[in-house]
Amino acid sequence: MATGMGRNAIAPLLVLNLIMYIVVIGFASWCLNHYINGQTYHPGFYPNGATFYFLMFAILAGVIGAVSKLAGIHHVRAYRHDTLGTNASVALITWAITALAFGLACKEIKLTHGRGWRLRVLEAFIIILTFTQLLYVMLLHAGLFSNRFGPAYRDPDYGVGGPAAEPKGTRV
């Protein structure tokens, strides 16, 4: 019963992060489309020197985050230690890219006054996702080190399920 605690804690956070990353993809792609089309003075969209880089890292974080959450859904479904290691590493990479977008969002907020609502929403989602993704990574890594929080590497019942086979080859 104690191993169910990890799955029950990770699953809602996983769904929340997936929805938020999809929203980030939508807002970042809209803003990037207007930036590329040269509509930089569109009402509600006033770019500065950090805007392009922020939009690139935001859309990158959104795409990699959504894909990482799909891998996370597979992990929660299987809930084995072999999927835990893979998911923990992908989640850590996703958090690193989201943290880069977070830094650029802070720079964007500092440089620009009178930003449009779409850019402000995108900045807010990136800031929130930085912390929720960090919480998700911490929960996954807690499962790496302890059976109490998830399927740890030291599970005694891993590989149990069939009769032990005789070793093949010659014995000297």
Side-chain angles (χ1 to χ4, degrees), residues 152-169:
Y153 283 112
R154 294 179 275 296
D155 277 344
D157 60 344
Y158 178 72
V160 177
E166 289 293 319
K168 295 186 178 181

Side-chain angles (χ1 to χ4, degrees), residues 4-92:
M5 183 179 80
R7 188 184 292 194
N8 292 337
I10 287 178
L13 190 59
L14 181 72
V15 172
L16 174 72
N17 280 356
L18 176 64
I19 292 169
M20 289 178 68
Y21 275 120
I22 290 171
V23 169
V24 163
I25 292 171
F27 277 105
S29 60
W30 182 90
C31 290
L32 189 62
N33 182 38
H34 282 282
Y35 189 85
I36 290 172
N37 288 341
Q39 299 172 347
T40 55
Y41 296 104
H42 185 274
F45 183 68
Y46 302 106
N48 58 30
T51 303
F52 177 74
Y53 300 106
F54 168 64
L55 293 176
M56 292 303 291
F57 276 101
I59 201 163
L60 183 67
V63 169
I64 292 176
V67 170
S68 138
K69 297 308 152 213
L70 293 177
I73 289 171
H74 172 69
H75 165 64
V76 168
R77 196 172 118 300
Y79 211 65
R80 304 263 316 213
H81 79 274
D82 47 350
T83 60
L84 175 65
T86 307
N87 194 28
S89 63
V90 171
L92 188 62

Side-chain angles (χ1 to χ4, degrees), residues 131-154:
F131 296 109
T132 58
Q133 181 69 19
L134 179 62
L135 179 62
Y136 178 72
V137 168
M138 289 170 45
L139 285 173
L140 282 175
H141 280 81
L144 282 172
F145 299 116
S146 173
N147 290 2
R148 187 169 165 219
F149 301 109
Y153 283 112
R154 294 179 275 296

Side-chain angles (χ1 to χ4, degrees), residues 116-137:
W117 70 271
R118 289 180 185 95
L119 206 52
R120 283 185 285 162
V121 166
L122 180 61
E123 292 162 354
F125 268 92
I126 289 292
I127 291 168
I128 293 167
L129 270 170
T130 302
F131 296 109
T132 58
Q133 181 69 19
L134 179 62
L135 179 62
Y136 178 72
V137 168

